Amino acid sequence: MQDFEPVSSPTAVKIVDAASNLFLQRGYKAVSINDIIREADVTKPTLYYYFVDKEALFVQMGLRVLAEMGERLRYAAARPGGLAERLVAVATVLMANRDTDMRLMRHEMAAHLGPGHRAILGRAFYAQLFTPIVEVMEAGLADGELARYSALTLAKMFMGMAEAFQEFASRTVEGWEHQPETLFGTSDLDPHALVDLFIHGVGITKE
């Protein structure tokens, strides 16, 4: 078993689920072990049997989020069709609301976790999220549909664009709520637009 695989014991999963709800509601610092014990309805010895500390629980929350996204990304990356169709499927996963949990996780990870735990989540992040997208980019390069950059660089570009699209598409600005098509919250920031921009850019090709 790799160190970035989430726990599977029913009791451990129950504790992680309880901890995840609290972490996402309050943030890492505001949650105590006693809070998690009450939320999970377990004893302190039971919690410490499975997890050495709060950091380990937060890591498990991150591993669960990444594993779920990784499963969806692998399914999307393997769908039939050309490069554009597969990238739209991948972008749809990346731009889903669940991605906000991942951004929170990355922020809290940098602020509160030690190097060892950050390394575990880093390996999981690469294996679960980057690897399926890199494979799509490798296929695009092999088929001549992409060029100029390595598959890893292309994957980084695509993920960065997807995160920006997801963030701006879900935002509104105070005072602009009555004009949802203006500034943030624009409906044109969708997976199809992302893929079109990624593949074709925004410049005019001169004959």
Side-chain angles (χ1 to χ4, degrees):
M1 178 177 177
Q2 295 172 305
D3 66 356
F4 55 76
E5 291 182 11
V7 295
S8 57
S9 162
T11 301
V13 169
K14 175 184 176 182
I15 296 170
V16 172
D17 285 343
S20 299
N21 291 335
L22 293 172
F23 287 142
L24 293 173
Q25 290 170 10
R26 306 180 192 175
Y28 179 87
K29 193 173 181 180
V31 176
S32 70
I33 286 291
N34 287 334
D35 292 332
I36 297 169
I37 288 169
R38 285 192 294 269
E39 181 78 8
D41 192 25
V42 296
T43 65
K44 186 172 287 189
T46 298
L47 184 144
Y48 281 119
Y49 174 80
Y50 291 101
F51 306 102
V52 297
D53 55 21
K54 190 169 75 168
E55 276 197 31
L57 275 164
F58 189 86
V59 168
Q60 283 296 321
M61 179 194 79
L63 294 179
R64 291 280 298 281
V65 171
L66 291 169
E68 290 168 6
M69 285 197 68
E71 183 177 357
R72 296 201 302 273
L73 282 173
R74 287 187 292 274
Y75 180 81
R79 65 161 290 164
L83 175 68
E85 288 81 7
R86 281 177 282 142
L87 287 179
V88 167
V90 167
T92 300
V93 174
L94 292 176
M95 292 175 63
N97 288 336
R98 184 64 167 169
D99 190 48
T100 59
D101 294 347
M102 190 173 68
R103 287 207 299 274
L104 172 63
M105 179 191 73
R106 292 206 308 269
H107 175 270
E108 297 285 88
M109 176 181 77
H112 303 295
L113 299 189
H117 284 140
R118 290 200 302 271
I120 290 171
L121 286 176
R123 288 191 290 274
F125 185 85
Y126 185 87
Q128 300 286 13
L129 272 64
F130 263 100
T131 300
I133 301 173
V134 167
E135 290 173 354
V136 173
M137 300 305 175
E138 287 174 341
L141 289 167
D143 292 341
E145 297 178 272
L146 297 172
R148 297 183 59 188
Y149 299 99
S150 70
L152 180 59
T153 298
L154 290 168
K156 290 177 180 178
M157 291 177 179
F158 191 77
M159 290 184 73
M161 291 172 63
E163 184 166 309
F165 268 53
Q166 196 273 348
E167 181 177 0
F168 282 105
S170 63
R171 278 190 181 184
T172 57
V173 175
E174 185 176 355
W176 292 78
E177 291 84 352
H178 60 291
Q179 298 183 44
E181 296 299 317
T182 307
L183 201 55
F184 297 137
T186 53
S187 61
D188 56 350
L189 297 180
D190 63 18
H192 293 275
L194 167 60
V195 173
D196 182 65
L197 176 63
F198 179 77
I199 294 177
H200 303 111
V202 295
I204 299 174
T205 302
K206 296 182 179 180
E207 299 294 337

